[in-house]
Amino acid sequence: MTSIQFLKGVGPKKAELFGRLGVETLDDLLFYFPRKWEDRRLPGKKEPLPFLEDAPVIRGTIKRIRDLYTSSHLRIFKTVLETPYGEAEASFFKRHSPRFDVFALLRKDLKEGATVWITGTPEDPLFLTRLRADEYYLDGDERALKMHIGRIVPVYPLTEGLTAKFMREAVYEAVRAGAEAAGDFLPPALAAKRGLSARDLAARAIHFPENNFELVQARRRFIYEELLLLALAWAIKKRQTRSVLKGFSYEVKKNLLTPFRENLGFQLTAAQAHAINEIFADMRAPTPMGRLLEGDVGSGKTVVALSAMLLAAENGGQSLFAAPTEILAEQHFLTFGKFLKGLDVRFALLTGRMKASERKKLLADLADGKLDILIGTHAVISEGVNFRNLRLAVVDEQHRFGVRQRAALRAKGDKADMLIMTATPIPRTLFLALYGDLDRSVIKEMPPGRKPVKTTEATEEIAFQAAAEEAAKGRQVYIVYPVIEETQAEDMKSVKAEFERLKALFKGRRVDMLHGRMPRELKNRVMEDFAAGRTDLLVATQVIEVGIDVANATLMVINNAERFGLASLHQLRGRVGRGQWDSRCMLVAHARTGDSADRLRAMVQSSNGFELSERDIYIRGAGEILGTRQHGDMHFKLADMSRDKEILEQAIEDREALLAADPDLAKKENAGLRRKLRDLYAARWNLIDLS
């Protein structure tokens, strides 16, 4: 592999900057795809595409030049150009420097009579008569016309020290030097079946397409590649997991399970019972379980997971329950205490903020087998956390854990079973692509007695009036804010500031506060007081999103609702409607940002988590909803599984056909595909074994 420093114009110092972007070789740069494309062709030659941004461009002859100062020491270099559409004005802005002429280069290039191309931001979006200039190029500069202007232009993610112009020129050199040797790894019959561009042609066109058609075809080629490789990797992972014998088995003894169910105080729903049966069947099988438990907010996933952990405990095995945050782990710890009360089950909580002495004793008990269940955060993955006999790992809120984190959890035990839970329903095609190594159980039925929660948008005044009315009736209220402390954002409300205001506003009512930075003992006391009815209004951050079950709470007020994702809004709404009284959720928006109007409208229109998840995927994209962008495990360069659903379906169909005909990809025509999978998913991530 040729080092990036030997590429024309780069050298050792620039190579270090490229290294920050993960670009170390010429091949890395060749496949360092643009984050977007700008259409810098002249008006009249442009055709719209969803991923192609219009970049206003002026081409004209300079008639007049003015060099201006402002009172703020800003200098303006103003040019007036004659264009085919009349006069246009383009202005360059720079801070004044007493040490050198900030416009020396402009004065050298932009002279009266010169014909130039200028791109920038229009001061009036409807007309190109006045432009705040970003870049300029002289009309006779053939190199500029090949890369920067008068064409579809790539725009790349950058780091400090690398300009957009330099990056474009470096990629252009990489394309010239390496595109021809891009190397096609797809079986020729498969590429022909899907009508895909040749890889070398796509490698050129993804950066510098001659027209819209070339760009569309290049993107389609590489999106298909990404999705097919992922789909194949998961299918191979599932087969390899299922081929291992775990060497232990379970017997349903019921000495813990029977009293557990008797003490619940409610009957399991048919959907819960079905999910438990599927999980028990997996656990009793000779190969390790890999199962995703999917269910809406309040559908009872925790009880299902506890049943699995009690089966492990009945058979002398230990279980691990991993939550994504300390507050969620603490809430689950309290929930486990309620459900396991009176049972001979030893469980403990491990977080990163424990005292050294407490942590040392807990870890010793865990290694000696004195604990049946360990509840914790990502801290449970760390070195020094050793189990004597880990048999089951449960991951809550799967989208906040990456693939490698899940693998690390499983590695804590010898071929341990794994149960992954999510309240974010995943469409079937996305499930097959993202979690193809897992089986799936779905809880669609809600426990009896759960009332639908009426959701409305409201002003703060109306919401607080409703809160006063609920408190007067003896009911309880949650009032949620997005941040703990005040921020520079004028429209962002904080828990601490609003808590003081609400104590005065609701004088005579018992108002308390809860957020993630409070000491654990204080958080527990606040939650216990609210659960016991000793608090009327709980002012909190979204730490209450999961794990709090108070039947007397009938109103959820979410302030700055525009700041929350749809999944979080739905989780918060799920905290009410758990008792016999009608319940409401009021969304108080203080601004409209991005897609917030779509999210709030969806919340008002639907209370079904499965439907909301589908909407959220199309509003924000699958990577945001399912956590794959945050954790980088499936960081696609181009693909978006919600937008590229048709290509994803093709990739899954082709995966099935490929593996049915050649399970190990051992045939000659599949050798390139196997090699690519090995390089990406075996060597880099150690996700599959293709030795």
Side-chain angles (χ1 to χ4, degrees):
M1 289 282 184
T2 305
S3 170
I4 189 71
Q5 71 171 314
F6 299 116
L7 188 68
K8 181 180 177 181
V10 177
K13 289 186 178 179
K14 284 284 196 295
E16 289 181 15
L17 300 178
F18 276 107
R20 294 182 197 166
L21 301 171
V23 175
E24 296 180 352
T25 67
L26 185 149
D27 205 52
D28 290 339
L29 187 56
L30 184 63
F31 294 100
Y32 187 72
F33 294 152
R35 62 182 175 86
K36 66 175 183 178
W37 293 261
E38 288 184 353
D39 194 340
R40 294 188 179 180
R41 294 172 292 189
L42 289 172
K45 296 183 178 181
K46 299 182 178 184
E47 308 161 41
L49 283 175
F51 43 82
L52 181 58
E53 292 188 6
D54 186 28
V57 175
I58 295 174
R59 179 180 179 272
T61 302
I62 299 176
K63 290 182 66 178
R64 295 188 299 279
I65 292 170
R66 293 180 67 195
D67 192 347
L68 307 172
Y69 289 84
T70 70
S71 57
S72 60
H73 302 289
L74 192 68
R75 289 188 65 182
I76 305 172
F77 190 85
K78 193 181 291 288
T79 63
V80 178
L81 299 95
E82 184 66 49
T83 80
Y85 310 100
E87 283 193 355
E89 192 177 276
S91 300
F92 297 83
F93 294 80
K94 284 186 182 291
R95 299 291 298 178
H96 171 66
S97 171
R99 292 179 292 127
F100 58 89
D101 183 355
V102 294
F103 287 138
L105 184 59
L106 285 176
R107 240 191 304 278
K108 176 173 174 271
D109 289 338
L110 303 185
K111 297 177 179 177
E112 291 182 8
T115 302
V116 295
W117 298 69
I118 299 178
T119 184
T121 306
E123 294 188 15
D124 183 337
L126 296 178
F127 302 99
L128 277 179
T129 53
R130 297 179 68 190
L131 204 66
R132 190 182 181 100
D134 294 330
E135 299 176 26
Y136 73 92
Y137 299 94
L138 299 179
D139 191 46
D141 187 345
E142 290 298 322
R143 183 175 172 81
L145 290 170
K146 288 178 181 177
M147 286 178 274
H148 305 297
I149 206 77
R151 60 168 304 129
I152 296 173
V153 171
V155 180
Y156 301 92
L158 299 172
T159 187
E160 189 176 353
L162 291 178
T163 66
K165 185 178 177 182
F166 180 83
M167 174 65 87
R168 217 174 286 132
E169 292 175 351
V171 173
Y172 185 79
E173 292 300 328
V175 169
R176 286 182 59 189
E180 197 171 313
D184 208 330
F185 59 81
L186 290 180
L190 190 57
K193 173 186 174 184
R194 295 303 178 190
L196 300 175
S197 300
R199 200 163 193 256
D200 59 338
L201 297 179
R204 294 177 189 276
I206 199 71
H207 298 289
F208 297 101
E210 293 300 320
N211 50 53
N212 287 22
F213 178 78
E214 280 194 4
L215 178 56
V216 168
Q217 291 303 309
R219 289 183 81 260
R220 185 166 170 269
R221 161 77 201 211
F222 290 118
I223 288 168
Y224 177 85
E225 273 188 17
E226 289 185 318
L227 295 175
L228 178 67
L229 288 169
L230 178 70
L232 280 168
W234 280 129
I236 293 168
K237 170 77 171 174
K238 183 173 185 176
R239 190 183 70 214
Q240 291 179 348
T241 300
R242 300 299 189 272
S243 67
V244 174
L245 295 177
K246 59 188 178 187
F248 57 89
S249 60
Y250 297 96
E251 179 185 348
V252 182
K253 300 177 181 179
K254 299 188 178 180
N255 58 316
L256 290 175
L257 285 166
T258 298
F260 167 66
R261 293 194 184 185
E262 289 173 348
N263 294 344
L264 283 176
F266 55 84
Q267 288 290 320
L268 295 176
T269 65
Q272 284 176 304
H274 182 70
I276 289 170
N277 288 337
E278 288 181 323
I279 292 165
F280 280 17
D282 281 0
M283 292 174 70
R284 299 178 76 183
T287 59
M289 172 175 72
R291 183 167 287 274
L292 179 73
L293 177 62
E294 186 179 291
D296 204 349
V297 177
S299 61
K301 296 185 297 295
T302 303
V303 169
V304 173
L306 265 173
S307 299
M309 288 185 274
L310 291 177
L311 178 60
E314 284 186 341
N315 288 270
Q318 294 173 298
S319 296
L320 162 63
F321 188 97
T325 65
E326 286 198 1
I327 187 70
L328 289 180
E330 289 165 358
Q331 288 170 354
H332 280 301
F333 179 69
L334 294 175
T335 301
F336 281 30
K338 181 176 70 174
F339 282 138
L340 300 177
K341 191 173 182 179
L343 297 181
D344 184 20
V345 180
R346 302 157 299 179
F347 62 98
L349 174 68
L350 174 67
T351 68
R353 293 193 292 177
M354 291 181 72
K355 293 179 181 177
S357 57
E358 293 175 348
R359 180 182 173 88
K360 184 177 179 181
K361 183 180 186 311
L362 186 152
L363 294 180
D365 288 346
L366 187 68
D368 290 341
K370 294 178 182 177
L371 289 177
D372 300 305
I373 299 172
L374 179 67
I375 305 156
T377 61
H378 299 75
V380 298
I381 305 173
S382 59
E383 285 187 33
V385 181
N386 299 311
F387 294 78
R388 182 176 181 181
N389 189 26
L390 180 63
R391 289 290 175 256
L392 174 65
V394 180
V395 177
D396 188 33
E397 295 295 311
Q398 57 75 30
H399 61 281
R400 301 194 198 179
F401 286 86
V403 173
R404 282 162 286 182
Q405 291 168 315
R406 298 204 313 254
L409 287 170
R410 192 192 285 273
K412 289 289 180 182
D414 184 20
K415 308 176 186 70
D417 291 317
M418 177 161 282
L419 178 65
I420 298 165
M421 303 198 298
T422 179
T424 304
I426 305 166
R428 181 179 179 277
T429 305
L430 294 181
F431 170 75
L432 289 173
L434 281 173
Y435 302 100
D437 62 324
L438 305 175
D439 296 307
R440 174 156 67 168
S441 294
V442 180
I443 304 177
K444 283 195 173 181
E445 182 183 3
M446 298 298 281
R450 286 299 299 269
K451 290 195 169 190
V453 178
K454 183 181 179 182
T455 304
T456 58
E457 290 191 64
T459 64
E460 189 178 71
E461 182 181 1
I462 290 172
F464 288 168
Q465 178 61 38
E469 291 169 1
E470 291 301 305
K473 291 187 286 188
R475 307 283 82 83
Q476 291 165 278
V477 179
Y478 299 101
I479 301 178
V480 174
Y481 292 93
V483 293
I484 300 172
E485 309 273 4
E486 289 184 311
T487 69
Q488 291 182 343
E490 292 182 8
D491 61 343
M492 181 91 84
K493 305 234 173 183
S494 70
V495 163
K496 285 188 175 180
E498 293 302 303
F499 173 63
E500 296 302 325
R501 183 169 75 95
L502 293 176
K503 279 197 300 184
L505 184 64
F506 292 98
K507 193 172 182 180
R509 295 294 173 194
R510 299 162 297 180
V511 184
D512 214 336
M513 176 173 63
L514 181 67
H515 59 76
R517 288 193 208 146
M518 293 164 59
R520 186 166 130 202
E521 296 76 15
L522 180 56
K523 281 187 285 191
N524 291 345
R525 181 194 64 73
V526 170
M527 287 191 287
E528 287 168 4
D529 284 349
F530 192 74
R534 292 189 288 269
T535 305
D536 299 310
L537 296 97
L538 184 60
V539 184
T541 59
Q542 67 189 89
V543 296
I544 62 162
E545 184 177 304
V546 176
I548 292 183
D549 186 358
V550 179
N552 192 47
T554 54
L555 176 62
M556 168 66 69
V557 177
I558 306 175
N559 275 280
N560 283 117
E562 76 281 0
R563 299 278 182 171
F564 294 87
L566 196 47
S568 290
L569 290 171
H570 184 54
Q571 289 269 20
L572 288 167
R573 176 170 60 184
R575 296 307 102 206
V576 296
R578 292 170 173 258
Q580 58 184 297
W581 300 281
D582 291 335
S583 296
R584 290 177 288 170
C585 175
M586 291 187 162
L587 308 173
V588 180
H590 296 279
R592 295 291 180 180
T593 58
D595 53 34
S596 63
D598 292 334
R599 278 182 275 123
L600 300 186
R601 192 180 308 114
M603 280 289 292
V604 170
Q605 291 172 348
S606 176
S607 59
N608 184 299
F610 286 76
E611 182 181 328
L612 287 173
S613 175
E614 289 269 9
R615 291 196 193 189
D616 209 10
I617 282 170
Y618 287 98
I619 291 172
R620 290 196 290 152
E624 294 294 343
I625 309 309
L626 304 178
T628 56
R629 286 183 192 153
Q630 291 91 318
H631 295 289
D633 290 322
M634 281 124 352
H635 178 68
F636 297 127
K637 295 178 180 179
L638 293 172
D640 182 306
M641 285 178 292
S642 54
R643 182 198 61 216
D644 302 315
K645 186 178 178 183
E646 182 183 341
I647 301 175
L648 175 58
E649 288 171 349
Q650 292 175 356
I652 291 172
E653 179 186 320
D654 294 341
R655 173 193 72 180
E656 299 303 311
L658 276 167
L659 295 181
D662 186 12
D664 297 315
L665 300 176
K667 293 181 180 179
K668 183 178 179 180
E669 63 268 25
N670 294 330
L673 198 52
R674 180 184 172 89
R675 189 163 50 248
K676 190 71 176 178
L677 279 167
R678 187 183 61 221
D679 291 345
L680 183 58
Y681 288 95
R684 187 181 300 180
W685 290 353
N686 196 28
L687 186 66
I688 55 177
D689 181 11
L690 284 176
S691 54

